[in-house]
Amino acid sequence: MDDGHGRVHADSMIDSASHEAPAPPAPWLVRIPEIFEGIAGEVLRRFGAVSHTRLGLDYYLIKTATPEAIQRSEAAKFARWNLPMDHTWPCNPQKMDGFIEKAAQTLLKKFGARNPQGIFIGTLHPTSPDKYYRSLASNLRGRVLQLFPQLGAGAVEEQDATAETLFCLVGKEGLFCGMQSPRACNGLYPGGSKFIDQDSPDTISRAGAKIAEALHYLLLYRPPMPEHSHWIELGACPGGMTSELLSRKQRVTAIDRAPLDKRLDGRPGLRFVLEDVAAFEPKTRTMFDALLCDMNGPPEESIEQVIRLSRFLKKGGLIVFTLKVPRIETVEEPCALFRFITGMAGAAGLKLLAQTHLTYNRHEFTLFFETT
Ligand SMILES: C[S@@+](CC[C@H](N)C(=O)[O-])C[C@H]1O[C@@H](n2cnc3c(N)ncnc32)[C@H](O)[C@@H]1O
């Protein structure tokens, strides 16, 4: 069944499969991070892709009769971001007279009546040094906003995670647009990456960007943690994540068997315990709001400690868990590990909220749980 916009809804497809002709494959834009390039073919096959065209740095324009697999199958964790394609304009913007005006007018004609909550335009080649393409997305958005003066969400964080936004990606391959909620897309920004400055002299470790991005991603599912929330952090050294949490006015009890970076000495809100996590017992009656675990070592042992210490989290408490995986060479191996880890957590009453591969993750994923 068509939703009136040329898209097919997965549930209605399943219901009507027995007595209606199969739905034509739907065009979809999928971003699979470069680090998964070796398994991208298998991931796309699991998404039901019957054809694909590579776009930009790590985008794939596919056609699939089972788009629900992109968001709900086990392989969904390998897609950083996705968008149904309601309007595609393959062209070379730089060689076209008046590209911005033509594109903006077309967006008004095609999407004006659908009342997007916001319009965000990104680039297919975020790392390209080409000046024209670096500014194309923001120039196009500037003109589009003049034509859509009534939008509710002006900044990405102002979006309702479950309401439809018009997202566009632009690059030397043309313009690719669709409407979908940020939660279904798996990110508030077009393409799903929040870029974080790591060049500041205050940056303690690369891991700081992971928690900064994770907290931003979490806005898809819950409001930000209130100031003075108390975190327990497992495997905190050298302290990039600790520093990020403290700068957001969070309180942190950080545990590691190695010391923290000296720059964190005396930071308000920090208590550091130099100890093996397995030996750590919180002071009686301490109840935390959130737990963060970025320990290296076998993930089965890390999740055991998370489960043990989750007893000291308040109800509805948040858990952010970095799942370190061996170098990814197949789809099945990390999926089996996920099943094991989320199975252990589920059996202990931890509810899986989301699981994703963030821009600043390498051979690891970030999993979010809540205590029940
Ligand atoms: C990837 S590093 C953490 C980086 C840190 N999140 C940051 O922001 O800088 C992993 C840390 O886990 C610690 N670790 C691993 N197993 C541990 C254990 N059983 N007890 C205490 N610390 C542990 C290691 O000492 C190491 O410092």
Side-chain angles (χ1 to χ4, degrees):
M1 224 175 286
D2 195 292
D3 65 0
H5 306 294
R7 279 172 14 211
V8 175
H9 284 300
D11 294 337
S12 62
M13 255 178 45
I14 294 162
D15 289 341
S16 59
S18 51
H19 32 88
E20 275 182 25
W28 222 270
L29 189 68
V30 178
R31 182 169 180 211
I32 300 180
E34 259 181 313
I35 199 158
F36 302 139
E37 180 139 22
I39 58 163
E42 171 63 8
V43 171
L44 294 178
R45 196 188 63 70
R46 292 196 183 202
F47 291 167
V50 289
S51 67
H52 78 259
T53 309
R54 192 74 193 263
L55 296 177
L57 189 62
D58 41 19
Y59 290 92
Y60 297 81
L61 182 61
I62 66 170
K63 282 201 171 151
T64 169
T66 55
E68 71 279 10
I70 300 168
Q71 294 164 7
R72 292 190 226 144
S73 69
E74 272 202 312
K77 62 179 75 64
F78 299 105
R80 163 101 25 87
W81 200 78
N82 75 91
L83 187 68
M85 288 289 91
D86 297 322
H87 172 63
T88 59
W89 184 15
C91 65
N92 183 339
Q94 202 165 12
K95 291 204 171 132
M96 182 165 293
D97 277 347
F99 169 78
I100 287 184
E101 190 57 28
K102 281 181 193 154
Q105 294 295 345
T106 305
L107 293 181
L108 178 63
K109 204 159 90 198
K110 290 218 164 190
F111 298 99
R114 289 180 63 184
N115 299 320
Q117 63 169 331
I119 303 178
F120 298 100
I121 304 179
T123 169
L124 288 166
H125 300 263
T127 54
S128 163
D130 186 314
K131 275 194 189 137
Y132 173 81
Y133 285 105
R134 282 181 79 84
S135 51
L136 183 60
S138 60
N139 291 342
L140 175 57
R141 183 161 186 261
R143 177 63 186 130
V144 170
L145 293 188
Q146 291 171 340
L147 301 177
F148 286 79
Q150 309 288 1
L151 298 174
V156 289
E157 292 80 9
E158 288 168 11
Q159 294 173 92
D160 171 346
T162 59
E164 284 198 330
T165 294
L166 171 55
F167 288 107
C168 308
L169 273 303
V170 67
K172 60 183 167 53
E173 298 90 342
L175 179 65
F176 301 85
C177 315
M179 272 185 61
Q180 186 167 247
S181 73
R183 190 183 289 173
C185 287
N186 199 41
L188 292 156
Y189 280 98
S193 284
K194 174 172 171 60
F195 292 100
I196 291 159
D197 175 22
Q198 293 183 290
D199 296 332
S200 149
D202 299 331
T203 300
I204 289 176
S205 70
R206 186 185 68 82
K210 283 194 290 185
I211 189 68
E213 193 188 5
L215 294 176
H216 192 264
Y217 175 86
L218 210 54
L219 297 174
L220 293 172
Y221 292 92
R222 39 185 276 166
M225 297 294 286
E227 285 186 6
H228 311 299
S229 297
H230 193 177
W231 291 68
I232 174 170
E233 187 184 351
L234 316 183
C237 165
M241 291 186 166
T242 317
S243 175
E244 282 293 330
L245 291 175
L246 294 171
S247 68
R248 286 166 173 72
K249 297 201 168 45
Q250 306 289 289
R251 289 180 295 146
V252 184
T253 294
I255 307 150
D256 203 301
R257 50 191 174 204
L260 287 181
D261 188 291
K262 287 270 170 256
R263 283 171 287 177
L264 289 168
D265 285 359
R267 286 277 293 270
L270 174 62
R271 174 178 169 238
F272 178 60
V273 182
L274 183 69
E275 188 168 62
D276 195 295
V277 166
F280 176 75
E281 285 295 334
K283 289 181 192 157
T284 39
R285 289 209 301 275
T286 302
M287 289 301 276
F288 298 92
D289 300 292
L291 183 155
L292 168 60
C293 176
D294 189 34
M295 277 198 286
N296 45 17
E300 298 82 352
E301 287 174 21
S302 302
I303 197 72
E304 242 180 63
Q305 293 309 320
V306 169
I307 289 169
R308 182 179 72 86
L309 291 164
S310 68
R311 291 185 286 130
F312 300 97
L313 283 181
K314 293 174 188 164
K315 193 169 163 24
L318 171 70
I319 295 170
V320 182
F321 177 72
T322 313
L323 173 57
K324 319 258 180 195
V325 294
R327 179 167 284 278
I328 291 175
E329 280 157 2
T330 66
V331 171
E332 181 45 30
E333 262 174 275
C335 284
L337 182 58
F338 262 80
R339 282 195 293 274
F340 184 76
I341 295 294
T342 55
M344 272 179 82
L350 305 182
K351 187 180 104 190
L352 182 67
L353 207 57
Q355 50 188 14
T356 193
H357 184 269
L358 299 165
T359 314
Y360 298 96
N361 284 144
R362 296 227 12 109
H363 292 281
E364 59 197 6
F365 292 80
T366 301
L367 275 57
F368 302 89
F369 300 93
E370 273 175 352
T371 52
T372 51

